């Protein structure tokens, strides 16, 4: 088997079960491995450390499949890992919460680069790394066997594929393509998901447990749902008795689907204003117009793709939260999120604290929020924690 030899002292992270080997840690590659091939990783002293997938185009040159030397990487390995992923979701009871959840969450399930989201009778997958791409057929076979599903669909059109030297890939992997809109249920609420064209695999499943938070905070309240996508948080605000709801998103199509999601749940659209706009500008216009709200949700897209964008991202989070604080009535609540993995929960809290300070608001942290448990975080891989959220109450 081809092998990768590390520089002196660079074995530490693998010994701590962190699954990535960066290009700078590598002294030598032996045996001419191709993208996606399985390689053994050795320390400078010759000790075997891990077995993983080689990806010469990426700065993350190896992603570990296994830390056990006896593990063979082949169809059986993927069947086994998938069975574990399925069993774990069963143990969480996510199927009792609804028909949509994440079945495979990359590194956290020992399957770097593999994402599989379940939407009712369909699975929607992403293969984001050279190793995942190499074993796609085996993984799809294992996924299909964990069914039955009507179809497994690929949405490997995420930009990160470029870093692995992979072109986008979209289409049916097995069975039928999902219909234009798949209906799912989530904690008793119904949503339509555009799995073929929507963001990521169609829906932000990582927000499942947070999405219902407005249900308890909205009675007779004026609610602003910023970065609303297909209206998930807003549906819960209306269910919770909101007096009014403003959904804001830069995507007209997402807002339109949000309308249909209201209808689907029998919620009155007359309390709802949809605004297709850039949140940064809109918040300033609202301030100038002295608009006020009792509950504001801020769930922006990822501002920091990498740690290199950290400072700029923090400025973005600060700006948007600062203006949100300014629009809150006394006694109001802010539900605010960052899905930039590079922004740690501590850092995010600091940014939000600065925003409150600059807005001149006394603010109390009520609750930390994070990604749903079907998006678990390996303790040896803290990078897996990417969604940070805060529920903040102002005086
Ligand atoms: N809260 C949503 C997910 C939000 S994802 C849910 O629970 O499903 C982020 C959303 O922000 C996307 O829908 C995207 O279209 C929108 N968006 C991105 N940049 C924006 C901007 N500058 N202003 C307003 N919306 C923006």
């Amino acid at each position: 088997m081809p092998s990768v030899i590390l520089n002196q002292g660079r074995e530490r992270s693998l010994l701590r079960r962190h699954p990535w080997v960066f290009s700078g840690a590598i002294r030598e590659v032996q045996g001419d491995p191709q993208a996606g091939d399985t390689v053994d990783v050795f320390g400078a002293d010759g000790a075997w450390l891990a077995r993983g997938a080689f990806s010469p185009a990426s700065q993350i040159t190896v992603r570990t499949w296994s830390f056990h030397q006896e593990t063979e990487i082949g169809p059986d390995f993927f069947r086994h890992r998938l069975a574990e992923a399925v069993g774990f979701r069963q143990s969480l009871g996510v199927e009792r919460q609804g028909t949509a959840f994440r079945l495979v969450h990359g590194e956290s399930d020992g399957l770097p680069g593999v994402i599989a989201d379940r939407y009712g009778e369909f699975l929607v997958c992403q293969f984001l790394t050279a190793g995942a791409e190499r074993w796609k057929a085996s993984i799809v076979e294992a996924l299909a066997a964990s069914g039955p599903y009507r179809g497994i669909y690929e949405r490997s059109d995420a930009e990160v594929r470029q870093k692995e030297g992979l072109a986008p890939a979209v289409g049916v992997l097995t069975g039928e393509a999902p219909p234009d809109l798949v209906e799912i249920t989530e904690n008793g609420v119904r949503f339509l998901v555009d799995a073929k064209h929507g963001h990521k695999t169609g829906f932000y499943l990582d927000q499942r447990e947070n999405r219902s938070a407005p249900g308890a905070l909205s009675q007779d309240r004026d609610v602003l749902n910023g970065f609303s996508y297909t209206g998930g948080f807003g549906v819960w605000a209306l269910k919770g008795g909101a007096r009014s709801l403003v959904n804001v998103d830069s995507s007209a199509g997402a807002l339109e689907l949000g309308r249909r999601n209201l209808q689907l749940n029998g919620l009155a659209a007359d309390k709802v204003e949809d605004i297709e706009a850039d949140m940064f500008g809109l918040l300033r216009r609202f301030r100038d117009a002295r608009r006020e709200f009792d509950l504001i949700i801020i769930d922006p897209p990822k501002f920091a793709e990498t740690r290199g964008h950290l400072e700029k991202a923090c400025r973005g989070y600060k700006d948007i939260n600062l203006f949100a604080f300014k629009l809150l009535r006394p006694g109001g609540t802010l539900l605010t999120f960052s899905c930039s993995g590079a922004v740690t929960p501590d850092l995010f809290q600091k940014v939000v604290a600065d925003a409150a300070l600059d807005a001149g608001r006394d603010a109390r942290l009520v609750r930390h929020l994070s990604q749903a448990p079907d998006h678990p975080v390996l303790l040896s891989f803290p990078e897996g924690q990417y969604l940070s959220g805060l529920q903040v109450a102002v005086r």
Side-chain angles (χ1 to χ4, degrees):
M1 187 167 312
S3 46
V4 164
I5 323 286
L6 301 187
N7 286 315
Q8 191 77 39
R10 297 304 294 268
E11 69 285 353
R12 276 194 50 192
S13 63
L14 285 178
L15 289 173
R16 296 182 56 82
R17 298 282 172 110
H18 188 286
W20 292 351
V21 177
F22 286 95
S23 57
I26 295 173
R27 189 180 78 201
E28 197 187 336
V29 178
Q30 296 175 346
D32 194 28
Q34 304 301 300
D37 283 355
T38 303
V39 293
D40 277 331
V41 184
F42 295 90
D45 62 356
W48 188 95
L49 295 169
R51 185 162 290 149
F54 188 67
S55 181
S58 171
Q59 287 205 48
I60 305 169
T61 311
V62 181
R63 294 185 196 239
T64 299
W65 292 127
S66 175
F67 289 102
H68 298 285
Q69 200 165 359
E70 64 281 7
T71 306
E72 262 182 58
I73 310 307
D76 279 347
F77 168 80
F78 290 101
R79 261 194 293 278
H80 184 69
R81 281 283 150 95
L82 195 76
E84 278 178 352
V86 170
F88 174 64
R89 273 51 182 196
Q90 278 165 355
S91 76
L92 290 174
V94 280
E95 284 192 67
R96 285 195 296 274
Q97 279 186 297
T99 59
F101 55 89
R102 179 155 292 189
L103 194 61
V104 179
H105 185 53
E107 274 79 355
S108 307
D109 284 295
L111 292 168
V114 183
I115 301 293
D117 288 338
R118 177 159 179 192
Y119 297 109
E121 300 170 276
F122 294 90
L123 285 184
V124 185
C125 303
Q126 296 182 316
F127 297 87
L128 301 175
T129 58
E133 180 73 18
R134 165 72 174 73
W135 292 101
K136 193 189 284 184
S138 299
I139 295 166
V140 170
E141 205 175 296
L143 283 167
S146 78
Y149 304 107
R150 267 174 67 194
I152 303 181
Y153 193 77
E154 176 169 24
R155 281 292 309 277
S156 301
D157 50 357
E159 263 180 40
V160 290
R161 289 241 320 175
Q162 281 176 18
K163 295 187 186 172
E164 299 276 325
L166 299 168
V170 170
V172 176
L173 290 165
T174 161
E176 6 169 342
D180 290 344
L181 295 172
V182 183
E183 188 180 322
I184 60 156
T185 61
E186 182 184 87
N187 293 317
V189 169
R190 297 159 75 189
F191 288 112
L192 295 169
V193 175
D194 180 353
K196 288 187 292 201
H197 310 102
H199 296 173
K200 305 211 283 185
T201 63
F203 204 59
Y204 290 86
L205 294 170
D206 49 2
Q207 288 284 26
R208 182 178 57 252
E209 306 224 320
N210 305 325
R211 207 161 2 241
S212 56
L217 300 166
S218 299
Q219 183 75 56
D220 300 324
R221 298 294 182 100
D222 296 316
V223 180
L224 171 60
N225 183 18
F227 304 93
S228 57
Y229 191 48
T230 53
F233 284 94
V235 165
W236 278 98
L238 284 187
K239 269 177 74 79
R243 180 167 51 206
S244 72
L245 168 67
V246 179
N247 286 317
V248 184
D249 203 278
S250 53
S251 157
L255 288 168
E256 207 179 293
L257 191 48
R259 284 266 151 190
R260 297 189 56 180
N261 283 330
L262 287 182
Q263 268 173 14
L264 191 64
N265 290 285
L267 294 163
D270 57 343
K271 295 176 176 176
V272 184
E273 187 185 349
D274 287 332
I275 304 181
E276 181 191 342
D278 168 38
M279 269 297 279
F280 288 89
L282 185 78
L283 287 173
R284 285 169 170 79
R285 290 205 293 284
F286 275 0
R287 179 212 41 196
D288 294 343
R290 297 185 187 284
R291 289 272 306 245
E292 290 185 317
F293 298 91
D294 306 291
L295 172 63
I296 299 181
I297 298 132
I298 300 283
D299 184 23
K302 201 193 280 180
F303 287 162
E305 285 297 332
T306 66
R307 294 185 57 176
H309 302 126
L310 201 55
E311 215 181 303
K312 189 161 169 261
C314 286
R315 277 203 299 278
Y317 290 121
K318 165 107 181 263
D319 185 273
I320 214 137
N321 284 287
L322 172 74
F323 280 91
F325 276 122
K326 287 183 191 229
L327 301 182
L328 276 176
R329 291 196 183 107
T333 296
L334 178 64
L335 289 171
T336 185
F337 298 93
S338 153
C339 61
S340 306
V343 178
T344 59
D346 271 4
L347 179 57
F348 185 58
Q349 184 173 329
K350 196 173 162 298
V351 169
V352 173
D354 284 348
L357 197 64
D358 285 11
R361 302 303 297 261
D362 269 340
R364 273 175 297 182
L365 173 60
V366 181
R367 215 195 300 266
H368 281 280
L369 304 163
S370 189
Q371 59 218 49
D374 47 342
H375 300 58
V377 184
L378 275 182
L379 287 177
S380 58
F381 180 63
E383 291 89 338
Q385 149 105 52
Y386 63 96
L387 182 63
S388 304
L390 302 170
Q391 177 178 335
V392 178
V394 299
R395 273 232 241 314

